[in-house]
Amino acid sequence: MSIANNIARLKSELSPGNVCLVAVSKKQPIEKIQEALNAGQIDFGENYVQELLVKNDLLPHKIKWHMIGHLQTNKVKFIVPFVHLIQSVDSLKLLKEINKEGKKINKVINCLLQVHIAQEETKTGFEATELLKLFEENLLSSLSNIKILGFMGMASFTSDDQIIREEFKYLKNLQSQLLTFANDRNLILDQLSMGMSSDWKLAVECGSTIIRVGSSIFGERK
Ligand SMILES: *Cc1c(COP(=O)(O)O)cnc(C)c1O
């Protein structure tokens, strides 16, 4: 199957509906991204800052870049000028840094808060209690150069659909609870990024609004 065919198939499986397809292009060559772009794909996801910077330089600026990998505070300044959405914000320190760098260039940076929903310890993200604290104590209200669009989560690496479904439902429920803190300034909170090649259908059933699909579009990574 060609990249164009894979994208067309995913888009038709997603329609009707309002789910955004992010093509995860990490470790894929420029030519493959160009092929996806030619097929009408605009949203792309990358995990590594260095790789993202190189690709942003080489590819058309109509691409909407999503940062989906762990982001170090000292790298924030490099991506803030052009990034469309930082999906992997996992600490208040990082939020403050993004806000600071956004302010410097007079730009409001879209973010998702990554939530730890998997059983594995290795996966990063906020715990529910930490998020509640952030919102209840109004710790984000002064960060006027960030906009929190919602939440991102990665389910456990397992073939057990039941476990994955429970984790997605957990995040959907948490979002519903936290939506009470939404305002029309910097807390929008209505987006939910969950689902990858192996589990996006389950994620959409559970209320996902953004899916991040790599190998089902581009094939296996090197
Ligand atoms: C690599 C990656 C994906 C895409 O994974 P596939 O299984 O190739 O679809 C999605 N989200 C994150 C955070 C990733 O790191």
Side-chain angles (χ1 to χ4, degrees), residues 22-26 28 45-48 67-70 87-88 114 152-154 193 195-200 211-221:
V22 175
V24 176
S25 48
K26 64 173 176 226
Q28 300 291 355
E46 288 284 339
N47 288 57
Y48 311 100
M67 179 65 195
I68 62 170
H70 178 68
Q87 297 204 9
S88 44
Q114 185 170 353
M152 187 266 254
M154 279 175 92
S193 173
M196 327 201 317
S197 292
S198 57
D199 57 18
W200 68 264
I211 62 171
R212 312 175 309 270
V213 178
S215 41
S216 290
I217 292 176
F218 296 108
E220 290 306 314
R221 286 177 286 275

Side-chain angles (χ1 to χ4, degrees), residues 98-209:
I98 296 167
N99 185 66
K100 189 182 94 189
E101 293 299 329
K103 193 159 275 173
K104 278 189 193 165
I105 58 168
N106 198 24
K107 184 182 170 194
V108 175
I109 313 299
N110 294 322
C111 299
L112 300 180
L113 303 179
Q114 185 170 353
V115 185
H116 181 222
I117 59 171
Q119 292 167 336
E120 291 112 85
E121 286 291 331
T122 51
K123 292 197 172 133
T124 53
F126 289 98
E127 300 296 336
T129 50
E130 292 178 283
L131 285 179
L132 267 172
K133 182 175 147 78
L134 285 186
F135 290 119
E136 278 171 352
E137 298 181 10
N138 251 320
L139 300 177
L140 307 180
S141 59
S142 63
L143 306 180
S144 51
N145 284 77
I146 55 164
K147 196 176 254 187
I148 313 282
L149 301 187
F151 306 92
M152 187 266 254
M154 279 175 92
S156 293
F157 184 71
T158 170
S159 54
D160 187 337
D161 281 2
Q162 202 45 42
I163 292 176
I164 296 173
R165 192 180 278 108
E166 287 307 317
E167 292 173 354
F168 286 153
K169 279 189 183 163
Y170 170 83
L171 185 52
K172 174 66 191 173
N173 280 333
L174 183 61
Q175 180 214 14
S176 306
Q177 260 175 276
L178 296 174
L179 258 175
T180 56
F181 295 98
N183 58 39
D184 46 22
R185 285 175 299 114
N186 64 345
L187 304 180
I188 311 301
L189 310 183
D190 62 355
Q191 296 297 308
L192 208 44
S193 173
M194 12 183 239
M196 327 201 317
S197 292
S198 57
D199 57 18
W200 68 264
K201 283 184 185 165
L202 281 175
V204 170
E205 275 172 38
C206 295
S208 176
T209 65

